[in-house]
Amino acid sequence: MPDRNRRDSTSAEVSDLLRRGLKSTLARWVITKRRGARPTPPPSPQDEATHAWDGRRHFAEDYTFIGVQAQLGIIVRLEWLPGRDSQRVWVTLLRPDGVWALPAGQAVLRTTNDDRWQAGGLKLDCVRPLRRWTIRFVGSLHHQGQGEASEGPSLRLVDDDDASVQRGSVDLTFVSDVEPYEPGADDDPELMARHLGEASWDRRLLQAARRARSRGYVQLGQLHGTIALGDVLIPVRADSVRHHHWGVRDWGACDDAYQCFLAMDGGRRGWVHHARFPFVTLEGGFVEDKGRVEPIRGLGTSLEARPQRAPTRMGLSLLHAEGAHQVEAALVSDVSLVVDGRGRVDLGLVRVASPEPGWGIWAGLRRARPRR
């Protein structure tokens, strides 16, 4: 009987391996066919404008600008929520002495005009599509957290007359220096095929794929200008990545996810994304050096996690055409907030120690509610 059980177990393992291999082969064939005849055109200047709401419940469109330089991280985000007649605003400055942000980390405001690029003191302007944007903000920013990855509360609300509230202003210009990168369409097809081969292909996966038709792109560039925080004026010449996405944006759809933007002192930059769903894990991204963008072919992650907070240390193993890099980074300051009651977002400034010094921005997402 033990021999029979062992044979049955071995047979099941071989069968599972073959099944994953066949699914991976099929996924690779589908991706290759799609790559040969791209299902959607690459991002165009017209895509910079907001898109019509298709009536779906979780439809959203966001414009996000992320910048990082020594001792400073910048996250500015404006999101249009047509199903709720609202706009969501993030303005977050991460420094070693803590985080400055809007109260509760965000503001959700009723839409009062037709200008979808202006809300809550934040105003965006597309000067030249896919090339140049301006970012302006004036308003109160609250000091939150203690910096240097403290174990204290990550989001501390203060009274308006508290010294921890400062008048803040942002006057920045984003200038792109590479073409837009579309996650999914431009990610490495072999990496995608491996994960699709491991997926549980059932009705839930097919329904989710049909529901979550969304598009978007990220683009590397430079942020330059100034930030004023009270009487302190901060010059900004930061490496940057901007995001523009539209479609379903359900903050509770995945079990956990992260994105990480890295800028090394030697000029190399990278952006990676990873999301784990009950039925499939999706990941990808790229490394860039002197204008050459290489999709990653493999992504390994090692995290020193904390409850309800960003990890204090992270190791990313990036495999790409030029070789492999093991990135080691430590958290400097962070803030955590709950979005729509469905997802907890952790934003952090990280200091990169290897393979060379640098700085980065970590953005993690976890479900705020258990699955039923």
Side-chain angles (χ1 to χ4, degrees):
M1 183 66 69
D3 290 341
R4 180 178 178 180
N5 290 339
R6 189 159 46 248
R7 287 197 302 270
D8 290 345
S9 175
T10 301
S11 176
E13 291 174 1
V14 171
S15 176
D16 184 58
L17 180 62
L18 290 173
R19 187 162 52 250
R20 291 201 307 270
L22 288 173
K23 289 194 297 184
S24 183
T25 301
L26 176 60
R28 188 177 295 107
W29 178 81
V30 171
I31 291 170
T32 301
K33 295 287 286 185
R34 291 180 63 190
R35 184 64 59 90
R38 189 179 175 119
T40 57
S44 69
Q46 289 74 24
D47 285 325
E48 295 280 64
T50 53
H51 296 74
W53 178 34
D54 59 13
R56 285 179 292 171
R57 177 185 176 190
H58 292 295
F59 182 94
E61 183 160 16
D62 75 274
Y63 297 83
T64 304
F65 296 83
I66 297 171
V68 64
Q69 65 185 43
Q71 311 289 326
L72 177 66
I74 306 160
I75 301 171
V76 176
R77 188 172 191 273
L78 180 56
E79 184 180 17
W80 176 51
L81 306 168
R84 289 183 272 174
D85 295 324
S86 301
Q87 290 168 290
R88 191 196 318 272
V89 177
W90 295 0
V91 179
T92 305
L93 308 178
L94 300 111
R95 308 198 307 171
D97 61 351
V99 179
W100 294 85
L102 298 175
Q106 62 183 324
V108 180
L109 309 162
R110 298 289 292 180
T111 300
T112 57
N113 55 50
D114 294 330
D115 189 347
R116 298 173 185 172
W117 290 351
Q118 181 174 351
L122 176 62
K123 180 176 177 58
L124 308 179
D125 189 22
C126 181
V127 179
R128 183 182 176 191
L130 301 177
R131 289 292 177 264
R132 182 183 292 265
W133 283 75
T134 58
I135 304 106
R136 308 281 188 269
F137 169 78
V138 176
S140 296
L141 296 177
H142 295 228
H143 190 229
Q144 301 166 2
Q146 302 302 315
E148 292 298 340
S150 72
E151 295 299 331
S154 111
L155 188 59
R156 182 172 63 89
L157 301 184
V158 293
D159 298 328
D160 287 342
D161 58 354
D162 192 293
S164 294
V165 179
Q166 295 282 359
R167 189 70 170 171
S169 66
V170 173
D171 186 354
L172 299 174
T173 298
F174 171 89
V175 180
S176 65
D177 50 28
V178 298
E179 294 301 310
Y181 181 97
E182 188 172 356
D186 293 328
D187 285 330
D188 181 72
E190 291 287 331
L191 179 60
M192 295 175 62
R194 287 201 304 273
H195 284 302
L196 290 175
E198 297 167 353
S200 301
W201 286 15
D202 57 16
R203 185 174 62 182
R204 288 189 305 161
L205 174 59
L206 297 177
Q207 288 175 341
R210 283 196 296 267
R211 285 197 303 266
R213 296 187 305 274
S214 61
R215 285 201 61 194
Y217 46 89
V218 300
Q219 188 173 28
L220 293 176
Q222 302 290 324
L223 270 181
H224 57 83
T226 57
I227 292 173
L229 196 56
D231 296 330
V232 178
L233 188 65
I234 306 170
V236 175
R237 296 194 64 84
D239 287 291
S240 179
V241 62
R242 75 178 184 104
H243 300 236
H244 179 204
H245 293 94
W246 61 96
V248 170
R249 187 66 171 96
D250 183 357
W251 296 88
C254 63
D255 292 322
D256 56 73
Y258 70 80
Q259 295 183 15
C260 189
F261 172 56
L262 302 167
M264 309 303 181
D265 291 352
R268 181 181 289 124
R269 296 174 292 184
W271 176 80
V272 296
H273 65 93
H274 170 97
R276 183 173 62 87
F277 298 86
F279 40 77
V280 67
T281 296
L282 299 176
E283 60 187 15
F286 59 86
V287 293
E288 179 270 342
D289 191 16
K290 298 180 175 62
R292 182 178 179 181
V293 175
E294 291 288 347
I296 62 168
R297 298 177 177 179
L299 174 62
T301 310
S302 174
L303 303 177
E304 186 178 313
R306 294 180 299 169
Q308 305 299 313
R309 298 288 298 277
T312 54
R313 296 187 181 276
M314 54 210 69
L316 300 176
S317 179
L318 309 180
L319 177 64
H320 53 92
E322 301 298 321
H325 288 94
Q326 182 66 36
V327 178
E328 299 291 339
L331 192 69
V332 173
S333 60
D334 69 305
V335 66
S336 181
L337 59 148
V338 175
V339 184
D340 293 346
R342 297 181 57 79
R344 177 174 290 276
V345 176
D346 304 314
L347 304 173
L349 173 67
V350 301
R351 181 186 287 111
V352 181
S354 65
E356 59 181 299
W359 293 83
I361 295 291
W362 172 272
L365 171 64
R366 289 165 283 123
R367 280 182 59 87
R369 302 174 181 174
R371 293 191 184 277
R372 295 179 180 177

